[in-house]
Amino acid sequence: MAGAAGPGTGPGAARGDGDDSLYPIAVLIDELRNEDVQLRLNSIKKLSTIALALGVERTRTELLPFLTDTIYDEDEVLLALAEQLGNFTGLVGGPDFAHCLLPPLESLATVEETVVRDKAVESLRQISQEHTPVALEAHFVPLVKRLASGDWFTSRTSACGLFSVCYPRASNAVKAEIRQHFRSLCSDDTPMVRRAAASKLGEFAKVLELDSVKSEIVPLFTNLASDEQDSVRLLAVEACVSIAQLLSQDDLEALVMPTLRQAAEDKSWRVRYMVADKFSELQKAVGPKITLNDLIPAFQNLLKDCEAEVRAAAAHKVKELCENLPTEGRETIIMNQILPFIKELVSDTNQHVKSALASVIMGLSTILGKENTIEHLLPLFLAQLKDECPEVRLNIISNLDCVNEVIGIRQLSQSLLPAIVELAEDAKWRVRLAIIEYMPLLAGQLGVEFFDEKLNSLCMAWLVDHVYAIREAATSNLMKLVQKFGTEWAQNTIVPKVLVMANDPNYLHRMTTLFCINALSEACGQEITTKQMLPIVLKMAGDQVANVRFNVAKSLQKIGPILDTDALQEEVKPVLQKLGQDEDMDVKYFAQEAISAVAQRLTKLDFPVKDNEEPSAPGADKNHFLRPRGPGEDTGKGPAHQLHVNTRDTPAQLEIAELVHFS
């Protein structure tokens, strides 16, 4: 740590003079000199508090000079300092004294770490707005000039971000100097500086006079776009969007388009990628005439580029390009000049290209209309539904609603089904999970008859998947389907199949029955829950696996609010009381939890749990919840191990919940 405090500002001086008002700055200096980085960082984050304690005068005369002298520290400390100083104007006396903040920020703008420099530039830009025009020319512009002509490339790169904020309010003479400095940086020997200048070229162009844009910015753009470094050239493409918005059609054609055409055919794929990535913005900036004459041919080349990354970026922009075409003649342009290239991409060798196309191609149906969609797009959709890459198939399925609006889902259903079945049985569980999430959407599009005939069996199969995340998602899926198709459908189609699983030999499947009942009870209502679901839950209270039994208690607590008082009194109460005496402590715990919840509805019922008792099993201690299961009791699999934490739990119980973990 370099630098020292000035006379009378050190901690020794403060204590020696007996002046307690100096103590805050003394503490700050002590912590800034501490070997512990965290202490130094904490003291920097308290700068505003220290400054308030010192007052504006001493902040300017003592604190800021000290900070300026100590710009040699860990990057995280300097980053925090740069951020703090951006909000310091009010603490140094307001806009009239904003220039006092420039020296430490100037030093920070020259350090080696990029994130620190960027944050210092951000703070400087913020402070520049608080300068008066006179103060700007007196203090801020000289700082920009010093940075722009610094020996180290770090200062010159920082300067690039400051030109646009000081130029609009400068006098004409100073504006000429600023433009000259920017021109110098655009032709700097160091590629990093040229990169920084290219990244700020569009921003700077926006604040310049139109004549200066034509006479100075466009030549700079042309030079940067033909720079030997592709990292500079690709940034020039980004600047092209801003420059194109400022020029007339004639000026665009003469000054910018030759360079843009060159960029679209650049030898570096990274530059071509940037053209593809910014294509929609370029299209809007240059207007419809130039788009038809120049951009469409360029886009065709990008769609058949030799690099997959470029083709994928262009494929992502297909829908936006078509939407932004002029309405008159749009259909003809797409059919003749875009669609032939899209057809080639459908069978591309790279899966990322096909996936990118699949994510947007469905949107073309709303643009081209029913006849063209059926004749030209439908074969492409069906080809992608049969693609070997799961992501391609999923992207098509997730956007089916676009086609449904135009041609109706029946046109797709026969070819769609095999793809759905294949995805539903994919070896990767994440693929199966993704198709489950789209099932409610598909159900709404296909209709209940088609769904029952073709997809119902899939939804039931997911309930016994070997991955818990699939079983959980399938349970949630059933609830959404009931909400979509109604309780009558659920009673006839879903509930009987779910309840059959209660007799499954696998205890995980039996627990899935309970989870389904939890999810379906609210959607199905009291009658179905009481007559069909409750008897099964009560029967499962005698299950030999403790995990099932304590999930029975949790299920009874969950469906309790739906049941009527008679059912709670005559059926639920005896079962919960029996579970409360279970040999397994976890079962006892959740049974007591359920009893407490049910008691709120049955206020006259004589339950063993009194008001002043904790809702936990008698004699239970927190370490008991960590015990291993007995023989035959599987603790490491299935959803039932998830410990329920109630908002009324004591701190000890919450601690238990945090400790319990089953792999």
Side-chain angles (χ1 to χ4, degrees), residues 515-527:
F515 300 146
C516 288
I517 289 173
N518 293 347
L520 294 174
S521 59
E522 188 174 345
C524 290
Q526 185 183 86
E527 184 179 354

Side-chain angles (χ1 to χ4, degrees), residues 64-90:
L64 290 179
F66 172 77
L67 294 173
T68 305
D69 291 340
T70 54
I71 307 293
Y72 307 98
D73 204 333
E74 299 292 333
D75 293 332
E76 57 185 325
V77 177
L78 298 182
L79 180 63
L81 177 58
E83 185 174 6
Q84 289 282 320
L85 291 177
N87 302 310
F88 239 60
T89 304

Side-chain angles (χ1 to χ4, degrees), residues 595-636:
I595 288 172
S596 298
V598 171
Q600 295 179 14
R601 297 195 67 214
L602 302 174
T603 54
K604 295 181 180 180
L605 208 58
D606 185 19
F607 273 102
V609 177
K610 297 182 177 62
D611 292 340
N612 60 353
E613 284 185 348
E614 288 292 338
S616 59
D621 69 289
K622 68 177 183 179
N623 292 322
H624 187 83
F625 287 95
L626 303 177
R627 67 172 177 80
R629 292 278 185 191
E633 292 182 299
D634 192 339
T635 62

Side-chain angles (χ1 to χ4, degrees), residues 460-646:
M460 301 310 298
W462 285 323
L463 291 173
V464 294
D465 195 279
H466 66 278
V467 176
Y468 170 64
I470 300 297
R471 299 196 300 273
E472 182 183 41
T475 302
S476 175
N477 174 55
L478 284 186
M479 182 179 66
K480 293 174 183 175
L481 290 174
V482 171
Q483 291 170 346
K484 192 173 289 290
F485 291 152
T487 56
E488 185 178 347
W489 173 81
Q491 185 176 8
N492 297 329
T493 309
I494 294 296
V495 173
K497 295 179 180 178
V498 168
L499 298 183
V500 167
M501 293 168 56
N503 299 316
D504 195 288
N506 189 324
Y507 86 97
L508 294 175
H509 299 170
R510 298 200 297 275
M511 287 196 301
T512 302
T513 300
L514 294 172
F515 300 146
C516 288
I517 289 173
N518 293 347
L520 294 174
S521 59
E522 188 174 345
C524 290
Q526 185 183 86
E527 184 179 354
I528 296 176
T529 302
T530 304
K531 291 183 178 179
Q532 294 185 287
M533 299 183 188
L534 180 59
I536 297 297
V537 178
L538 297 175
K539 179 183 175 183
M540 294 176 73
D543 198 282
Q544 62 181 354
V545 178
N547 277 15
V548 177
R549 296 198 301 276
F550 78 62
N551 272 287
V552 167
K554 291 168 70 174
S555 292
L556 290 174
Q557 180 179 350
K558 172 74 175 176
I559 68 176
I562 300 168
L563 302 174
D564 58 30
T565 304
D566 291 341
L568 290 173
Q569 173 79 21
E570 298 171 8
E571 300 181 69
V572 174
K573 174 190 172 183
V575 170
L576 286 177
Q577 287 178 326
K578 182 180 178 181
L579 290 174
Q581 303 301 318
D582 196 278
E583 61 182 10
D584 186 276
M585 298 302 293
D586 295 345
V587 178
K588 287 183 182 179
Y589 173 80
F590 287 111
Q592 293 290 346
E593 284 283 296
I595 288 172
S596 298
V598 171
Q600 295 179 14
R601 297 195 67 214
L602 302 174
T603 54
K604 295 181 180 180
L605 208 58
D606 185 19
F607 273 102
V609 177
K610 297 182 177 62
D611 292 340
N612 60 353
E613 284 185 348
E614 288 292 338
S616 59
D621 69 289
K622 68 177 183 179
N623 292 322
H624 187 83
F625 287 95
L626 303 177
R627 67 172 177 80
R629 292 278 185 191
E633 292 182 299
D634 192 339
T635 62
K637 296 178 182 178
H641 69 263
Q642 297 181 346
L643 187 62
H644 172 71
V645 181
N646 193 284

Side-chain angles (χ1 to χ4, degrees), residues 216-400:
E216 299 186 42
I217 294 298
V218 170
L220 293 177
F221 163 69
T222 304
N223 291 336
L224 291 170
S226 57
D227 193 275
E228 62 182 13
Q229 298 283 333
D230 63 354
S231 60
V232 177
R233 299 200 300 275
L234 66 87
L235 289 169
V237 173
E238 198 169 342
C240 181
V241 176
S242 299
I243 295 171
Q245 292 171 344
L246 303 172
L247 301 176
S248 65
Q249 288 287 303
D250 292 341
D251 290 333
L252 269 175
E253 186 60 52
L255 302 174
V256 174
M257 288 313 298
T259 306
L260 185 56
R261 293 187 199 104
Q262 176 185 326
E265 299 174 355
D266 196 277
K267 61 184 179 182
S268 169
W269 72 267
R270 296 170 66 198
V271 178
R272 302 195 304 274
Y273 175 90
M274 182 61 77
V275 174
D277 189 54
K278 297 291 179 183
F279 210 88
S280 298
E281 297 167 51
L282 288 167
Q283 180 186 2
K284 292 176 183 176
V286 302
K289 182 180 177 182
I290 294 179
T291 295
L292 296 177
N293 294 336
D294 290 283
L295 292 194
I296 294 294
F299 192 72
Q300 293 171 341
N301 291 332
L302 294 172
L303 287 173
K304 60 180 183 180
D305 196 275
C306 60
E307 293 291 339
E309 288 85 351
V310 179
R311 297 198 303 276
H316 265 302
K317 300 296 178 181
V318 164
K319 181 185 174 184
E320 289 182 38
L321 171 78
C322 296
E323 285 177 335
N324 294 332
L325 289 172
T327 308
E328 186 179 349
R330 176 167 62 183
E331 184 179 315
T332 304
I333 295 169
I334 296 172
M335 296 300 297
N336 296 334
Q337 301 187 51
I338 303 295
L339 194 59
F341 295 89
I342 292 177
K343 289 179 179 178
E344 293 181 17
L345 291 185
V346 168
S347 56
D348 197 276
T349 55
N350 187 281
Q351 70 177 47
H352 300 294
V353 177
K354 292 186 290 187
S355 181
L357 180 64
S359 66
V360 298
I361 191 173
M362 306 293 274
L364 296 181
S365 58
T366 55
I367 300 172
L368 292 177
K370 183 174 182 178
E371 292 184 7
N372 286 326
T373 298
I374 293 174
E375 183 179 352
H376 298 285
L377 293 182
L378 192 56
L380 303 183
F381 300 158
L382 300 182
Q384 289 178 304
L385 280 172
K386 298 173 184 176
D387 195 274
E388 61 183 10
C389 175
E391 286 186 12
V392 176
R393 302 195 298 267
L394 279 175
N395 283 341
I396 290 294
I397 290 172
S398 62
N399 290 288
L400 276 177

